[in-house]
Amino acid sequence: LSFTNAKGLLQFFVLAGGLAPAVSATMAAAFLSYAQESRPATTWLTWFAADALGMMIVAPVLITVSRHKLSELLRQGRLAEAVSGSVVVSAVVALAFSQNAYPFTYLCVPLLMLAAFRFGFIGAAWGLLLTAIISVSLTAHGNVPFAVPHRPSMAEEILLLQAFLLVLTFTALPVGVVLEKRTAAEEGLRLSTERLGQAVRVSDIGIFDHDQVTDTIYWSPKQREIYGWTPGEPVTLQKYFECVHPDDREYIIAAVQRAHDPKVNIPFD
């Protein structure tokens, strides 16, 4: 499974949040209904929700850490930021679940988004895991910050908490995947640009580009050097045409005009 694209995350949700917990819940419901004569439907639903959330929250952290994502962050010197962010997330979640007078649970969403923007998928997954650990611990002690018209039973408290964590899971992890994909694209672009620059330097050639929408012309420093132009000298098509040999000038002008014509699908060479 890969958490760098939407397809990988969807496969993870289907397997870890659907098929695997369904198999586990079915076996548990069958065994408990036989051993304790419990209601199979209730047992299956409770077991399924617990297993699905457990795998969707814990597995991403284990998978990303095993793929050296954490060591990469540490090598980048961001340990202090990661620790301070973890402390802030823990403190806010603890504050939200230690009282029910104010709806501080809403603060968990922007904090997880911030963790995703700063650290990518591993930030979203780690923040989600911290949120789950603290919220489950405090809910087990009877702290329910959700607005309900009556004092909820333990089963209702668990259901509310599971719904809360499910919303956070389906919010934070996709954002983390999108940001991870963007980071990978930026890294690929950086490497491509670096390799192109090396190739240009080795081959000793110039680069030019003409943006037809803005009518902006870019000439690389080497291109300017080849034509004898200073770095700050403005570049125009007319000035370029003046540098072309008279015998080739008309042909070059016609070729440029054809390239600018949207009705003509002929590459400029």
Side-chain angles (χ1 to χ4, degrees):
L1 292 175
S2 174
F3 293 125
T4 58
N5 55 71
K7 181 180 179 180
L9 183 64
L10 180 60
Q11 291 175 342
F12 171 74
F13 281 152
V14 171
L15 293 175
L19 295 180
V23 172
S24 175
T26 300
M27 296 176 62
F31 176 79
L32 292 177
S33 62
Y34 173 78
Q36 301 180 359
E37 297 183 357
S38 61
R39 293 192 297 177
T42 303
T43 302
W44 189 93
L45 183 60
T46 304
W47 202 286
F48 174 84
D51 281 3
L53 278 173
M55 283 187 280
M56 288 192 295
I57 291 174
V58 177
V61 175
L62 298 179
I63 293 174
T64 49
V65 168
S66 65
R67 292 180 179 174
H68 309 292
K69 292 291 183 180
L70 184 59
S71 59
E72 291 176 8
L73 291 176
L74 296 181
R75 284 198 301 269
Q76 296 172 2
R78 304 177 65 184
L79 178 60
E81 183 182 1
V83 172
S84 60
S86 300
V87 171
V88 171
V89 171
S90 302
V92 171
V93 176
L95 175 64
F97 280 83
S98 61
Q99 52 81 47
N100 55 11
Y102 302 98
F104 288 146
T105 50
Y106 293 106
L107 296 177
C108 298
V109 177
L111 283 178
L112 290 182
M113 296 301 101
L114 179 61
F117 273 94
R118 294 299 301 159
F119 296 98
F121 185 82
I122 182 62
W126 176 247
L128 184 62
L129 179 61
L130 286 178
T131 302
I133 293 174
I134 297 173
S135 60
V136 168
S137 300
L138 292 176
T139 300
H141 287 81
N143 297 308
V144 183
F146 307 108
V148 290
H150 60 277
R151 175 63 186 178
S153 63
M154 177 58 70
E156 291 174 331
E157 291 178 358
I158 295 174
L159 182 61
L160 289 171
L161 178 61
Q162 288 175 337
F164 171 73
L165 293 177
L166 188 64
V167 170
L168 291 184
T169 300
F170 284 108
T171 302
L173 295 188
V175 172
V177 167
V178 171
L179 295 175
E180 198 76 20
K181 186 176 181 179
R182 188 194 68 176
T183 301
E186 291 176 347
E187 179 64 16
L189 179 61
R190 185 190 66 80
L191 291 176
S192 298
T193 304
E194 183 178 311
R195 290 165 182 166
L196 176 61
Q198 293 174 349
V200 170
R201 286 192 297 271
V202 171
S203 58
D204 200 29
I205 61 175
I207 296 178
F208 71 93
D209 178 72
H210 181 205
D211 189 335
Q212 299 182 38
V213 177
T214 61
D215 196 25
T216 303
I217 299 177
Y218 166 78
W219 276 29
S220 67
K222 187 61 180 180
Q223 183 82 353
R224 290 175 176 273
E225 180 184 338
I226 293 173
Y227 280 82
W229 292 357
T230 61
E233 189 174 355
V235 180
T236 63
L237 280 177
Q238 186 59 39
K239 291 185 65 174
Y240 165 69
F241 292 148
E242 293 174 358
C243 298
V244 178
H245 193 278
D247 294 343
D248 300 327
R249 189 172 299 159
E250 292 185 5
Y251 172 78
I252 294 297
I253 293 176
V256 171
Q257 290 175 347
R258 286 196 306 270
H260 287 181
D261 189 352
K263 299 179 181 179
V264 180
N265 189 19
I266 300 177
F268 175 74
D269 189 1

